[in-house]
Amino acid sequence: MSDCVVLVLMGGPDAERTVSINSGTRVAEALRSTGRFEVRAETIDRINGATLASMAADVILPILHGSWGEGGPLQELLEADGRPYMGSGPTAARLAMDKSATKRIAEQLCVSTPRWQEFRLGDRVEIDGSVVVKPLNDGSSVGMSFCANQLEAQSAAEALARTRGRALVEQCIKGREITVGMLGDRPLPLIEIIPAVQYYDYEAKYLRNDTQYRIQPADLSEAAAREATAATVQLMQAMGCKDVARADFIVEGDRAWFLEINTMPGMTDHSLVPKAAAAAGISFPELCTRLVEMALLRAKKLSPTNG
C-alpha cells in the first residue's frame, strides 16, 4: 500500500484549530512511520470544493474539530469530492455537533442524560441548582461555564447566546467522568478522567500535565460501565457515526449519565481515544492505519463494481 497517497487535513477556522493542528501533525507522523503510505499533510482554513480537488490524495483523513471541520460543512465538501474519506458523513456530523439534537436522540433511545435546556436570548433558565452552560456546537470545553445557581446560569447563558445564538444549559451531576471510545463498531476500554483541578476544562485536557487517566472498570460499577458502553454503541449506530467516535459520561453510583458524543476525537498525546486504543493493545501508528483502511474499505463496498 506504499503507493497509497493519504491526505491529512488539519487546522480549520474553528476555536479548536490549535488542537486540530497538533492532532493532525501527530497522525501524519504516525502514518509516515509505518512506511506504508505516501502522506501529505495540509493545514487549511475554510476551503471550497475546488481547493480540496486540487489536493492529490487516494484517501483523506479530516483531523479537524469544531462546527465547520467536524460538524458537517467539511464533510459535505468531502462527500461531493467523491474520494474515500475517514469519519462520519454530513448528517451524523451535524447531529453529533448539535448537543441538543444529540440529547433528543439519547432520550429517544432511553439513554440516561442530565436534565437540559436549549437557551436563546429572551429565555429564562429553568433548571435550578448547579448547572453547566456550554455552546451547542463546540468541543474541548470551549466556552463552558460551571454555575452554582440560576442567577449565575442566566448571566452565562445570555452571554453565550449573545455571541453564539444558542446555548445549552445542563444539570451538573457530581460524579466520576468517564469516556468510551469506538473504533469502527468496537468499543475501546473505558477511561476515567481525574483532573487535578475542579473541572476537566480546556487547560486540563490539553495544557496541563497533572490530569490522571485510569483504565476502567478497575473500580467502577460494573452496571455503570456496561450502561455507558451500550449507550455509546446505540448512539453511534442511531446517528450513523463511522470509523471513530468518543462518548463522554458522568458516573453517579450505578448510573452512567450521557453528556455528548464526538465524531472526530482529538489525536494529541493528551487525547483519550489513543489512550484507550493503547489499553487495547493498539499502537498509535496502528490506530491511524486502521482509520485509513476503514475509509478505503467503505469506499470499495460502495463502488458500482461492488454493488
Side-chain angles (χ1 to χ4, degrees):
M1 201 183 291
S2 60
D3 59 345
C4 178
V5 179
V6 180
L7 173 62
V8 178
L9 297 178
M10 66 187 92
D14 299 309
E16 298 169 87
R17 177 181 174 87
T18 300
V19 177
S20 169
I21 292 171
N22 290 340
S23 291
T25 299
R26 193 163 178 254
V27 168
E29 290 172 351
L31 289 172
R32 289 190 185 106
S33 74
T34 69
R36 297 179 60 186
F37 312 102
E38 179 184 338
V39 181
R40 301 179 181 177
E42 292 282 351
T43 301
I44 62 172
D45 201 312
R46 192 187 303 266
I47 60 171
N48 57 29
T51 301
L52 179 62
S54 71
M55 300 176 182
D58 296 308
V59 59
I60 303 171
L61 268 61
I63 312 296
L64 287 92
H65 314 301
S67 58
W68 185 85
E70 184 183 354
L74 176 58
Q75 286 68 32
E76 288 180 349
L77 291 179
L78 291 165
E79 199 72 23
D81 178 83
R83 287 175 288 181
Y85 68 93
M86 182 275 294
S88 297
T91 300
R94 288 189 187 279
L95 282 173
M97 183 55 62
D98 187 326
K99 293 180 176 65
S100 64
T102 307
K103 289 272 201 177
R104 292 186 187 100
I105 293 172
E107 290 174 341
Q108 291 167 8
L109 296 171
C110 297
V111 169
S112 301
T113 191
R115 187 182 173 199
W116 63 283
Q117 172 191 355
E118 183 176 325
F119 183 97
R120 298 174 186 269
L121 280 178
D123 291 344
R124 303 299 301 174
V125 171
E126 300 168 356
I127 304 172
D128 56 6
S130 58
V131 300
V132 183
V133 177
K134 59 181 85 170
L136 277 169
N137 58 352
D138 252 325
S140 294
S141 303
V142 171
M144 187 168 67
S145 301
F146 290 87
C147 305
N149 53 55
Q150 283 177 295
L151 186 61
E152 289 183 13
Q154 185 72 33
S155 177
E158 287 179 355
L160 200 53
R162 201 168 286 117
T163 57
R164 303 292 189 97
R166 300 180 299 161
L168 183 79
V169 180
E170 182 180 63
Q171 176 189 8
C172 184
I173 293 179
K174 304 295 184 183
R176 301 163 67 178
E177 186 163 356
I178 66 165
T179 188
V180 183
M182 293 285 293
L183 184 58
D185 58 1
R186 173 186 176 184
L188 296 171
L190 279 65
I191 294 182
E192 181 181 1
I193 302 151
I194 310 170
V197 290
Q198 187 174 8
Y199 300 112
Y200 188 49
D201 57 11
Y202 184 94
E203 286 196 6
K205 287 179 179 179
Y206 298 111
L207 304 178
R208 300 177 66 100
N209 292 313
D210 52 5
T211 301
Q212 297 179 47
Y213 303 95
R214 183 182 299 159
I215 304 300
Q216 291 293 351
D219 62 350
L220 194 70
S221 157
E222 183 179 341
R226 188 168 54 246
E227 182 181 10
T229 301
T232 303
V233 173
Q234 278 185 288
L235 284 159
M236 190 164 176
Q237 291 175 346
M239 297 171 70
C241 303
K242 293 183 174 65
D243 301 339
V244 65
R246 194 197 78 237
D248 300 331
F249 297 82
I250 294 292
V251 170
E252 181 188 42
D254 288 338
R255 175 63 57 85
W257 296 91
F258 168 71
L259 300 179
E260 62 183 81
I261 191 165
N262 302 275
T263 54
M264 187 54 248
M267 293 288 172
T268 71
D269 56 1
H270 283 60
S271 296
L272 297 163
V273 165
K275 291 181 186 296
I282 303 169
S283 70
F284 190 64
E286 176 61 19
L287 170 63
C288 297
T289 298
R290 291 193 190 188
L291 295 177
V292 172
E293 291 173 341
M294 284 189 286
L296 290 171
L297 180 60
R298 182 167 59 254
K300 182 178 180 182
K301 287 180 177 178
L302 294 176
S303 66
T305 56
N306 289 278

